[in-house]
Amino acid sequence: MTDYLEINRANWDERAVPHAASPGYRVQDFVDDPSFLSDVVRFDLPRLGDVAGLRGVHLQCHIGTDTVSLSRLGATMTGLDFSGAALEQARSIADRAGADIEFVESELYSARSALTGEFDLVFTGIGALGWLPDIKRWAQTVASLLAPGGRLFLREGHPVLWTLDYYRTDGLLSLTEPYFETVEPQIFDDPGTYVESDHEFKHTLTHEWNHGLGEIVTAVLEAGLVLTGLEEHQSVPWEALPGRMRKLDSKEWQLAEKPERLPHTYTLQARKPV
């Protein structure tokens, strides 16, 4: 297999600065307002509950806006990502926002050796799992990081969403990409990015994988965790199907026509037995 880490890291390294500069990440709001939270974490609040005093790690944290948000809710946070360029932006944002957060550079599967101690909370946000070729190794890594009684909180794009033909314009939902995990990656060449930016990207190639919902749940259970919640949502934090979605008051996006046809995202929670 081609070195997917090298290819994907080049892609994410180049996007770090444009993402931090984009209005989509609202970095200046974090600096100006000490109570400001990312839209993703704000959506999660009813399910997150009280995280004050917890030692948490945000896996695949990118530029760290969700990490800063969790810190503002009272958790002692660490952020982990494989992109050094993204972590440079994360450290700058946290410093400007007055958040005391440690950021560690490591690919996901090496997280246990890169981090010290155990965590009460492992948080993984939108758009993370698709960069990983093996969901079972992911779940085993999560379990190795959790302290007894600690919990996993995952909100992610639904695997059905990831199967859809992104470019279709006739209103039909067409499943064209794999739903189940495959050995070989899906290879995409996309000149843009998911937030507003006028940057002309040079590293446009990515290697990605989908993971079925059953595969994810089974991986969590086989890693020794106890499932405590699984909820599917009819909204997603970005315009996942351009031209076919409407923006809600919650600032999330939803399929404009018959949104009940599509599971947009899901939240999965699990605990490590004491």
PDB file of all heavy atoms in Angstrom, residues 232-260:
ATOM      1  N   GLU A 232     -28.298   8.761  15.973  1.00  0.00           N
ATOM      2  CA  GLU A 232     -28.110   9.258  14.615  1.00  0.00           C
ATOM      3  C   GLU A 232     -28.811  10.604  14.468  1.00  0.00           C
ATOM      4  O   GLU A 232     -29.884  10.815  15.020  1.00  0.00           O
ATOM      5  CB  GLU A 232     -28.648   8.242  13.605  1.00  0.00           C
ATOM      6  CG  GLU A 232     -27.870   6.932  13.619  1.00  0.00           C
ATOM      7  CD  GLU A 232     -28.527   5.841  12.803  1.00  0.00           C
ATOM      8  OE1 GLU A 232     -29.657   5.450  13.164  1.00  0.00           O
ATOM      9  OE2 GLU A 232     -27.923   5.373  11.827  1.00  0.00           O
ATOM     10  N   HIS A 233     -28.181  11.509  13.697  1.00  0.00           N
ATOM     11  CA  HIS A 233     -28.678  12.876  13.588  1.00  0.00           C
ATOM     12  C   HIS A 233     -29.029  13.212  12.143  1.00  0.00           C
ATOM     13  O   HIS A 233     -28.423  12.695  11.199  1.00  0.00           O
ATOM     14  CB  HIS A 233     -27.620  13.868  14.069  1.00  0.00           C
ATOM     15  CG  HIS A 233     -27.057  13.554  15.419  1.00  0.00           C
ATOM     16  ND1 HIS A 233     -27.803  13.620  16.573  1.00  0.00           N
ATOM     17  CD2 HIS A 233     -25.804  13.159  15.791  1.00  0.00           C
ATOM     18  CE1 HIS A 233     -27.028  13.302  17.611  1.00  0.00           C
ATOM     19  NE2 HIS A 233     -25.826  13.011  17.159  1.00  0.00           N
ATOM     20  N   GLN A 234     -29.976  14.152  11.990  1.00  0.00           N
ATOM     21  CA  GLN A 234     -30.380  14.623  10.672  1.00  0.00           C
ATOM     22  C   GLN A 234     -29.745  15.972  10.352  1.00  0.00           C
ATOM     23  O   GLN A 234     -30.361  16.839   9.733  1.00  0.00           O
ATOM     24  CB  GLN A 234     -31.903  14.715  10.589  1.00  0.00           C
ATOM     25  CG  GLN A 234     -32.595  13.365  10.667  1.00  0.00           C
ATOM     26  CD  GLN A 234     -34.091  13.462  10.464  1.00  0.00           C
ATOM     27  OE1 GLN A 234     -34.567  14.179   9.582  1.00  0.00           O
ATOM     28  NE2 GLN A 234     -34.850  12.757  11.285  1.00  0.00           N
ATOM     29  N   SER A 235     -28.498  16.155  10.749  1.00  0.00           N
ATOM     30  CA  SER A 235     -27.763  17.371  10.400  1.00  0.00           C
ATOM     31  C   SER A 235     -26.275  17.082  10.456  1.00  0.00           C
ATOM     32  O   SER A 235     -25.829  16.096  11.057  1.00  0.00           O
ATOM     33  CB  SER A 235     -28.121  18.521  11.342  1.00  0.00           C
ATOM     34  OG  SER A 235     -27.662  18.270  12.665  1.00  0.00           O
ATOM     35  N   VAL A 236     -25.511  17.982   9.839  1.00  0.00           N
ATOM     36  CA  VAL A 236     -24.065  17.840   9.729  1.00  0.00           C
ATOM     37  C   VAL A 236     -23.464  19.244   9.793  1.00  0.00           C
ATOM     38  O   VAL A 236     -24.117  20.203   9.374  1.00  0.00           O
ATOM     39  CB  VAL A 236     -23.706  17.111   8.407  1.00  0.00           C
ATOM     40  CG1 VAL A 236     -24.132  17.908   7.190  1.00  0.00           C
ATOM     41  CG2 VAL A 236     -22.242  16.746   8.331  1.00  0.00           C
ATOM     42  N   PRO A 237     -22.248  19.428  10.327  1.00  0.00           N
ATOM     43  CA  PRO A 237     -21.728  20.777  10.547  1.00  0.00           C
ATOM     44  C   PRO A 237     -21.295  21.542   9.295  1.00  0.00           C
ATOM     45  O   PRO A 237     -20.953  22.713   9.402  1.00  0.00           O
ATOM     46  CB  PRO A 237     -20.511  20.545  11.456  1.00  0.00           C
ATOM     47  CG  PRO A 237     -20.737  19.229  12.095  1.00  0.00           C
ATOM     48  CD  PRO A 237     -21.456  18.427  11.057  1.00  0.00           C
ATOM     49  N   TRP A 238     -21.255  20.928   8.138  1.00  0.00           N
ATOM     50  CA  TRP A 238     -20.871  21.650   6.926  1.00  0.00           C
ATOM     51  C   TRP A 238     -21.797  21.232   5.785  1.00  0.00           C
ATOM     52  O   TRP A 238     -22.569  20.279   5.913  1.00  0.00           O
ATOM     53  CB  TRP A 238     -19.407  21.371   6.572  1.00  0.00           C
ATOM     54  CG  TRP A 238     -19.158  20.053   5.899  1.00  0.00           C
ATOM     55  CD1 TRP A 238     -18.934  19.829   4.565  1.00  0.00           C
ATOM     56  CD2 TRP A 238     -19.132  18.751   6.513  1.00  0.00           C
ATOM     57  NE1 TRP A 238     -18.771  18.494   4.321  1.00  0.00           N
ATOM     58  CE2 TRP A 238     -18.884  17.809   5.494  1.00  0.00           C
ATOM     59  CE3 TRP A 238     -19.298  18.294   7.837  1.00  0.00           C
ATOM     60  CZ2 TRP A 238     -18.808  16.440   5.757  1.00  0.00           C
ATOM     61  CZ3 TRP A 238     -19.213  16.927   8.096  1.00  0.00           C
ATOM     62  CH2 TRP A 238     -18.967  16.016   7.065  1.00  0.00           C
ATOM     63  N   GLU A 239     -21.746  21.963   4.694  1.00  0.00           N
ATOM     64  CA  GLU A 239     -22.612  21.658   3.557  1.00  0.00           C
ATOM     65  C   GLU A 239     -22.043  20.445   2.820  1.00  0.00           C
ATOM     66  O   GLU A 239     -21.324  20.570   1.832  1.00  0.00           O
ATOM     67  CB  GLU A 239     -22.738  22.861   2.625  1.00  0.00           C
ATOM     68  CG  GLU A 239     -23.841  22.697   1.592  1.00  0.00           C
ATOM     69  CD  GLU A 239     -24.017  23.909   0.698  1.00  0.00           C
ATOM     70  OE1 GLU A 239     -23.194  24.844   0.775  1.00  0.00           O
ATOM     71  OE2 GLU A 239     -24.977  23.915  -0.091  1.00  0.00           O
ATOM     72  N   ALA A 240     -22.404  19.283   3.318  1.00  0.00           N
ATOM     73  CA  ALA A 240     -21.794  18.041   2.842  1.00  0.00           C
ATOM     74  C   ALA A 240     -22.188  17.702   1.408  1.00  0.00           C
ATOM     75  O   ALA A 240     -21.430  17.027   0.703  1.00  0.00           O
ATOM     76  CB  ALA A 240     -22.177  16.890   3.779  1.00  0.00           C
ATOM     77  N   LEU A 241     -23.360  18.132   0.989  1.00  0.00           N
ATOM     78  CA  LEU A 241     -23.826  17.893  -0.377  1.00  0.00           C
ATOM     79  C   LEU A 241     -24.181  19.257  -0.977  1.00  0.00           C
ATOM     80  O   LEU A 241     -25.332  19.692  -0.901  1.00  0.00           O
ATOM     81  CB  LEU A 241     -25.039  16.957  -0.382  1.00  0.00           C
ATOM     82  CG  LEU A 241     -24.800  15.558   0.191  1.00  0.00           C
ATOM     83  CD1 LEU A 241     -26.108  14.811   0.355  1.00  0.00           C
ATOM     84  CD2 LEU A 241     -23.829  14.763  -0.683  1.00  0.00           C
ATOM     85  N   PRO A 242     -23.225  19.956  -1.542  1.00  0.00           N
ATOM     86  CA  PRO A 242     -23.443  21.333  -2.005  1.00  0.00           C
ATOM     87  C   PRO A 242     -24.618  21.452  -2.962  1.00  0.00           C
ATOM     88  O   PRO A 242     -24.790  20.637  -3.877  1.00  0.00           O
ATOM     89  CB  PRO A 242     -22.121  21.670  -2.707  1.00  0.00           C
ATOM     90  CG  PRO A 242     -21.119  20.791  -2.058  1.00  0.00           C
ATOM     91  CD  PRO A 242     -21.835  19.516  -1.749  1.00  0.00           C
ATOM     92  N   GLY A 243     -25.429  22.486  -2.709  1.00  0.00           N
ATOM     93  CA  GLY A 243     -26.583  22.740  -3.554  1.00  0.00           C
ATOM     94  C   GLY A 243     -27.805  21.930  -3.198  1.00  0.00           C
ATOM     95  O   GLY A 243     -28.897  22.173  -3.722  1.00  0.00           O
ATOM     96  N   ARG A 244     -27.655  20.966  -2.272  1.00  0.00           N
ATOM     97  CA  ARG A 244     -28.788  20.107  -1.911  1.00  0.00           C
ATOM     98  C   ARG A 244     -29.154  20.222  -0.433  1.00  0.00           C
ATOM     99  O   ARG A 244     -29.979  19.454   0.058  1.00  0.00           O
ATOM    100  CB  ARG A 244     -28.453  18.645  -2.234  1.00  0.00           C
ATOM    101  CG  ARG A 244     -28.434  18.346  -3.722  1.00  0.00           C
ATOM    102  CD  ARG A 244     -28.070  16.911  -3.998  1.00  0.00           C
ATOM    103  NE  ARG A 244     -26.617  16.706  -3.974  1.00  0.00           N
ATOM    104  CZ  ARG A 244     -26.037  15.518  -4.091  1.00  0.00           C
ATOM    105  NH1 ARG A 244     -26.786  14.431  -4.215  1.00  0.00           N
ATOM    106  NH2 ARG A 244     -24.726  15.411  -4.080  1.00  0.00           N
ATOM    107  N   MET A 245     -28.546  21.189   0.270  1.00  0.00           N
ATOM    108  CA  MET A 245     -28.756  21.280   1.712  1.00  0.00           C
ATOM    109  C   MET A 245     -29.194  22.688   2.101  1.00  0.00           C
ATOM    110  O   MET A 245     -28.993  23.648   1.352  1.00  0.00           O
ATOM    111  CB  MET A 245     -27.468  20.893   2.459  1.00  0.00           C
ATOM    112  CG  MET A 245     -26.911  19.543   2.056  1.00  0.00           C
ATOM    113  SD  MET A 245     -25.627  18.923   3.176  1.00  0.00           S
ATOM    114  CE  MET A 245     -26.645  18.031   4.348  1.00  0.00           C
ATOM    115  N   ARG A 246     -29.817  22.801   3.264  1.00  0.00           N
ATOM    116  CA  ARG A 246     -30.215  24.084   3.828  1.00  0.00           C
ATOM    117  C   ARG A 246     -29.539  24.251   5.183  1.00  0.00           C
ATOM    118  O   ARG A 246     -29.293  23.273   5.886  1.00  0.00           O
ATOM    119  CB  ARG A 246     -31.736  24.150   3.997  1.00  0.00           C
ATOM    120  CG  ARG A 246     -32.289  23.060   4.907  1.00  0.00           C
ATOM    121  CD  ARG A 246     -33.783  23.127   5.053  1.00  0.00           C
ATOM    122  NE  ARG A 246     -34.275  22.029   5.903  1.00  0.00           N
ATOM    123  CZ  ARG A 246     -35.549  21.860   6.236  1.00  0.00           C
ATOM    124  NH1 ARG A 246     -36.470  22.697   5.786  1.00  0.00           N
ATOM    125  NH2 ARG A 246     -35.909  20.856   7.009  1.00  0.00           N
ATOM    126  N   LYS A 247     -29.268  25.511   5.547  1.00  0.00           N
ATOM    127  CA  LYS A 247     -28.635  25.787   6.821  1.00  0.00           C
ATOM    128  C   LYS A 247     -29.704  25.991   7.882  1.00  0.00           C
ATOM    129  O   LYS A 247     -30.660  26.754   7.690  1.00  0.00           O
ATOM    130  CB  LYS A 247     -27.737  27.020   6.737  1.00  0.00           C
ATOM    131  CG  LYS A 247     -26.752  27.118   7.879  1.00  0.00           C
ATOM    132  CD  LYS A 247     -25.695  28.178   7.617  1.00  0.00           C
ATOM    133  CE  LYS A 247     -24.595  28.133   8.675  1.00  0.00           C
ATOM    134  NZ  LYS A 247     -23.526  29.144   8.405  1.00  0.00           N
ATOM    135  N   LEU A 248     -29.543  25.332   9.019  1.00  0.00           N
ATOM    136  CA  LEU A 248     -30.505  25.400  10.114  1.00  0.00           C
ATOM    137  C   LEU A 248     -30.134  26.498  11.097  1.00  0.00           C
ATOM    138  O   LEU A 248     -29.031  27.037  11.081  1.00  0.00           O
ATOM    139  CB  LEU A 248     -30.548  24.048  10.837  1.00  0.00           C
ATOM    140  CG  LEU A 248     -30.838  22.816   9.966  1.00  0.00           C
ATOM    141  CD1 LEU A 248     -30.714  21.551  10.803  1.00  0.00           C
ATOM    142  CD2 LEU A 248     -32.213  22.916   9.329  1.00  0.00           C
ATOM    143  N   ASP A 249     -31.067  26.822  11.993  1.00  0.00           N
ATOM    144  CA  ASP A 249     -30.786  27.818  13.029  1.00  0.00           C
ATOM    145  C   ASP A 249     -29.619  27.394  13.918  1.00  0.00           C
ATOM    146  O   ASP A 249     -28.927  28.233  14.496  1.00  0.00           O
ATOM    147  CB  ASP A 249     -32.036  28.054  13.890  1.00  0.00           C
ATOM    148  CG  ASP A 249     -33.144  28.754  13.116  1.00  0.00           C
ATOM    149  OD1 ASP A 249     -32.840  29.365  12.075  1.00  0.00           O
ATOM    150  OD2 ASP A 249     -34.308  28.692  13.554  1.00  0.00           O
ATOM    151  N   SER A 250     -29.404  26.091  14.033  1.00  0.00           N
ATOM    152  CA  SER A 250     -28.303  25.549  14.838  1.00  0.00           C
ATOM    153  C   SER A 250     -26.942  25.727  14.171  1.00  0.00           C
ATOM    154  O   SER A 250     -25.914  25.366  14.742  1.00  0.00           O
ATOM    155  CB  SER A 250     -28.529  24.067  15.101  1.00  0.00           C
ATOM    156  OG  SER A 250     -28.467  23.336  13.879  1.00  0.00           O
ATOM    157  N   LYS A 251     -26.941  26.285  12.942  1.00  0.00           N
ATOM    158  CA  LYS A 251     -25.753  26.464  12.108  1.00  0.00           C
ATOM    159  C   LYS A 251     -25.262  25.153  11.501  1.00  0.00           C
ATOM    160  O   LYS A 251     -24.211  25.119  10.857  1.00  0.00           O
ATOM    161  CB  LYS A 251     -24.621  27.163  12.874  1.00  0.00           C
ATOM    162  CG  LYS A 251     -25.004  28.545  13.383  1.00  0.00           C
ATOM    163  CD  LYS A 251     -23.863  29.212  14.122  1.00  0.00           C
ATOM    164  CE  LYS A 251     -24.302  30.577  14.641  1.00  0.00           C
ATOM    165  NZ  LYS A 251     -23.240  31.248  15.427  1.00  0.00           N
ATOM    166  N   GLU A 252     -26.038  24.099  11.700  1.00  0.00           N
ATOM    167  CA  GLU A 252     -25.750  22.841  11.017  1.00  0.00           C
ATOM    168  C   GLU A 252     -26.484  22.841   9.676  1.00  0.00           C
ATOM    169  O   GLU A 252     -27.345  23.685   9.409  1.00  0.00           O
ATOM    170  CB  GLU A 252     -26.220  21.664  11.872  1.00  0.00           C
ATOM    171  CG  GLU A 252     -25.509  21.537  13.204  1.00  0.00           C
ATOM    172  CD  GLU A 252     -24.706  20.268  13.334  1.00  0.00           C
ATOM    173  OE1 GLU A 252     -25.145  19.229  12.828  1.00  0.00           O
ATOM    174  OE2 GLU A 252     -23.607  20.319  13.937  1.00  0.00           O
ATOM    175  N   TRP A 253     -26.124  21.880   8.841  1.00  0.00           N
ATOM    176  CA  TRP A 253     -26.727  21.739   7.517  1.00  0.00           C
ATOM    177  C   TRP A 253     -27.562  20.465   7.458  1.00  0.00           C
ATOM    178  O   TRP A 253     -27.243  19.469   8.103  1.00  0.00           O
ATOM    179  CB  TRP A 253     -25.649  21.701   6.438  1.00  0.00           C
ATOM    180  CG  TRP A 253     -24.933  22.998   6.274  1.00  0.00           C
ATOM    181  CD1 TRP A 253     -23.879  23.456   7.013  1.00  0.00           C
ATOM    182  CD2 TRP A 253     -25.211  24.011   5.313  1.00  0.00           C
ATOM    183  NE1 TRP A 253     -23.481  24.696   6.573  1.00  0.00           N
ATOM    184  CE2 TRP A 253     -24.280  25.065   5.522  1.00  0.00           C
ATOM    185  CE3 TRP A 253     -26.153  24.141   4.283  1.00  0.00           C
ATOM    186  CZ2 TRP A 253     -24.262  26.213   4.739  1.00  0.00           C
ATOM    187  CZ3 TRP A 253     -26.132  25.282   3.501  1.00  0.00           C
ATOM    188  CH2 TRP A 253     -25.201  26.307   3.727  1.00  0.00           C
ATOM    189  N   GLN A 254     -28.624  20.528   6.656  1.00  0.00           N
ATOM    190  CA  GLN A 254     -29.530  19.392   6.528  1.00  0.00           C
ATOM    191  C   GLN A 254     -29.977  19.263   5.078  1.00  0.00           C
ATOM    192  O   GLN A 254     -30.136  20.262   4.364  1.00  0.00           O
ATOM    193  CB  GLN A 254     -30.758  19.618   7.419  1.00  0.00           C
ATOM    194  CG  GLN A 254     -31.756  18.479   7.453  1.00  0.00           C
ATOM    195  CD  GLN A 254     -32.949  18.810   8.342  1.00  0.00           C
ATOM    196  OE1 GLN A 254     -33.796  19.618   7.967  1.00  0.00           O
ATOM    197  NE2 GLN A 254     -32.997  18.208   9.508  1.00  0.00           N
ATOM    198  N   LEU A 255     -30.172  18.023   4.652  1.00  0.00           N
ATOM    199  CA  LEU A 255     -30.711  17.779   3.315  1.00  0.00           C
ATOM    200  C   LEU A 255     -32.004  18.569   3.146  1.00  0.00           C
ATOM    201  O   LEU A 255     -32.900  18.499   3.988  1.00  0.00           O
ATOM    202  CB  LEU A 255     -30.964  16.280   3.151  1.00  0.00           C
ATOM    203  CG  LEU A 255     -31.198  15.752   1.737  1.00  0.00           C
ATOM    204  CD1 LEU A 255     -29.932  15.903   0.893  1.00  0.00           C
ATOM    205  CD2 LEU A 255     -31.638  14.290   1.801  1.00  0.00           C
ATOM    206  N   ALA A 256     -32.107  19.350   2.067  1.00  0.00           N
ATOM    207  CA  ALA A 256     -33.246  20.259   1.895  1.00  0.00           C
ATOM    208  C   ALA A 256     -34.541  19.507   1.604  1.00  0.00           C
ATOM    209  O   ALA A 256     -35.615  19.910   2.058  1.00  0.00           O
ATOM    210  CB  ALA A 256     -32.942  21.255   0.778  1.00  0.00           C
ATOM    211  N   GLU A 257     -34.450  18.418   0.860  1.00  0.00           N
ATOM    212  CA  GLU A 257     -35.642  17.674   0.464  1.00  0.00           C
ATOM    213  C   GLU A 257     -35.691  16.330   1.193  1.00  0.00           C
ATOM    214  O   GLU A 257     -34.777  15.511   1.072  1.00  0.00           O
ATOM    215  CB  GLU A 257     -35.638  17.437  -1.051  1.00  0.00           C
ATOM    216  CG  GLU A 257     -36.875  16.724  -1.556  1.00  0.00           C
ATOM    217  CD  GLU A 257     -36.826  16.464  -3.059  1.00  0.00           C
ATOM    218  OE1 GLU A 257     -35.889  16.982  -3.711  1.00  0.00           O
ATOM    219  OE2 GLU A 257     -37.700  15.734  -3.560  1.00  0.00           O
ATOM    220  N   LYS A 258     -36.731  16.133   1.989  1.00  0.00           N
ATOM    221  CA  LYS A 258     -36.927  14.883   2.726  1.00  0.00           C
ATOM    222  C   LYS A 258     -35.674  14.481   3.505  1.00  0.00           C
ATOM    223  O   LYS A 258     -35.085  13.424   3.259  1.00  0.00           O
ATOM    224  CB  LYS A 258     -37.343  13.762   1.775  1.00  0.00           C
ATOM    225  CG  LYS A 258     -38.647  14.007   1.041  1.00  0.00           C
ATOM    226  CD  LYS A 258     -38.991  12.850   0.116  1.00  0.00           C
ATOM    227  CE  LYS A 258     -40.286  13.097  -0.646  1.00  0.00           C
ATOM    228  NZ  LYS A 258     -40.590  11.999  -1.596  1.00  0.00           N
ATOM    229  N   PRO A 259     -35.253  15.295   4.455  1.00  0.00           N
ATOM    230  CA  PRO A 259     -34.013  14.986   5.187  1.00  0.00           C
ATOM    231  C   PRO A 259     -34.072  13.691   5.971  1.00  0.00           C
ATOM    232  O   PRO A 259     -33.021  13.122   6.303  1.00  0.00           O
ATOM    233  CB  PRO A 259     -33.860  16.191   6.123  1.00  0.00           C
ATOM    234  CG  PRO A 259     -35.234  16.758   6.259  1.00  0.00           C
ATOM    235  CD  PRO A 259     -35.885  16.532   4.931  1.00  0.00           C
ATOM    236  N   GLU A 260     -35.293  13.205   6.243  1.00  0.00           N
ATOM    237  CA  GLU A 260     -35.421  11.957   6.989  1.00  0.00           C
ATOM    238  C   GLU A 260     -34.912  10.759   6.185  1.00  0.00           C
ATOM    239  O   GLU A 260     -34.775   9.646   6.721  1.00  0.00           O
ATOM    240  CB  GLU A 260     -36.880  11.721   7.397  1.00  0.00           C
ATOM    241  CG  GLU A 260     -37.869  11.552   6.262  1.00  0.00           C
ATOM    242  CD  GLU A 260     -38.404  12.871   5.706  1.00  0.00           C
ATOM    243  OE1 GLU A 260     -37.895  13.944   6.101  1.00  0.00           O
ATOM    244  OE2 GLU A 260     -39.354  12.816   4.881  1.00  0.00           O
TER     245      GLU A 260
END
